[in-house]
Amino acid sequence: MNLPNKITIARIALIPIFMVFMLVPLPLGEIETSAGMFPVSHLIGFVLFVIAASTDWLDGYYARKLELVTNFGKFLDPLADKLLVTAALLSLIEIEMLPAWMAIVILSREFAVTGIRLVAASSGEVIAASGLGKWKTVFQMTALSVLLFYNLPFELWGIPAGMALMWIAVLLTIVSGVDYFMKNKHIFKHSM
């Protein structure tokens, strides 16, 4: 297994650890900010999320630089992103910082795209992420990071940056999903 794929697997391994810090009531105390109090465990969860999200750039960088792009990596990298985003969305719903409908829109698109990838893979075709899909991921990860950090420092000035970024992420999710289906409609024709 090459270095980029190892980095992707490390990202997947961080997900359950992130969820423990976000969802299990750990007795680690709270941090007081001018915007309010939040659990230390959530701060640790935020740091783990940022580290995991950063590995998405890192594995892609090494795959391209070292010419180690593989079909396994093309399949595993977007799956790792989807798992990380799902974990963060569910955590934010649980701590009441994100409306469930936004998560449903994002997750519905992700499941649909994964379904198409699986159908394509069954006939030997691997579909890499598109440019729009990459922008969608950037906005999702950024929005989730800001929300997981309790919208700080923007909360201090009353700026709902996390939700504004999430709205952009939802719009990009819809647009990139439609684009993905349009570009890959041949897969449906060949699989029926």
Side-chain angles (χ1 to χ4, degrees):
M1 180 174 301
N2 66 33
L3 177 62
N5 291 341
K6 287 179 182 176
I7 293 170
T8 302
I9 289 172
R11 177 160 75 253
I12 293 170
L14 280 175
I15 295 168
I17 301 166
F18 158 75
M19 291 198 75
V20 166
F21 281 101
M22 291 305 300
L23 300 176
V24 175
L26 301 171
L28 300 176
E30 292 187 323
I31 297 174
E32 183 176 356
T33 70
S34 54
M37 304 282 286
F38 65 93
V40 171
S41 60
H42 289 184
L43 176 62
I44 296 168
F46 160 75
V47 170
L48 290 171
F49 178 84
V50 170
I51 291 168
S54 299
T55 65
D56 182 34
W57 175 84
L58 192 63
D59 62 12
Y61 171 77
Y62 281 120
R64 288 183 298 277
K65 181 178 176 158
L66 303 175
E67 297 180 9
L68 296 173
V69 176
T70 63
N71 285 341
F72 179 70
K74 286 180 188 177
F75 179 77
L76 190 64
D77 182 62
L79 179 62
D81 293 342
K82 288 169 182 33
L83 291 171
L84 182 61
V85 166
T86 299
L89 289 169
L90 295 176
S91 296
L92 287 166
I93 291 168
E94 179 67 21
I95 63 174
E96 300 179 358
M97 293 193 66
L98 184 73
W101 74 265
M102 286 182 146
I104 290 168
V105 168
I106 291 170
L107 295 176
S108 295
R109 183 261 189 211
E110 302 305 346
F111 282 120
V113 166
T114 299
I116 291 174
R117 278 199 170 110
L118 291 173
V119 171
S122 70
S123 60
E125 186 176 349
V126 176
I127 302 169
S130 69
L132 270 174
K134 290 178 181 180
W135 276 107
K136 176 242 355 153
T137 300
V138 166
F139 272 92
Q140 282 179 358
M141 297 297 190
T142 304
L144 292 169
S145 296
V146 172
L147 289 171
L148 287 167
F149 198 54
Y150 285 72
N151 203 46
L152 291 171
F154 308 103
E155 186 68 29
L156 303 173
W157 305 294
I159 301 169
M163 286 308 294
L165 289 166
M166 188 54 72
W167 272 99
I168 295 169
V170 168
L171 290 173
L172 283 172
T173 296
I174 294 166
V175 170
S176 67
V178 169
D179 178 64
Y180 192 87
F181 278 90
M182 296 305 291
K183 286 181 178 173
N184 295 291
K185 60 185 171 189
H186 67 278
I187 292 170
F188 294 111
K189 290 177 185 176
H190 297 300
S191 65
M192 292 185 176

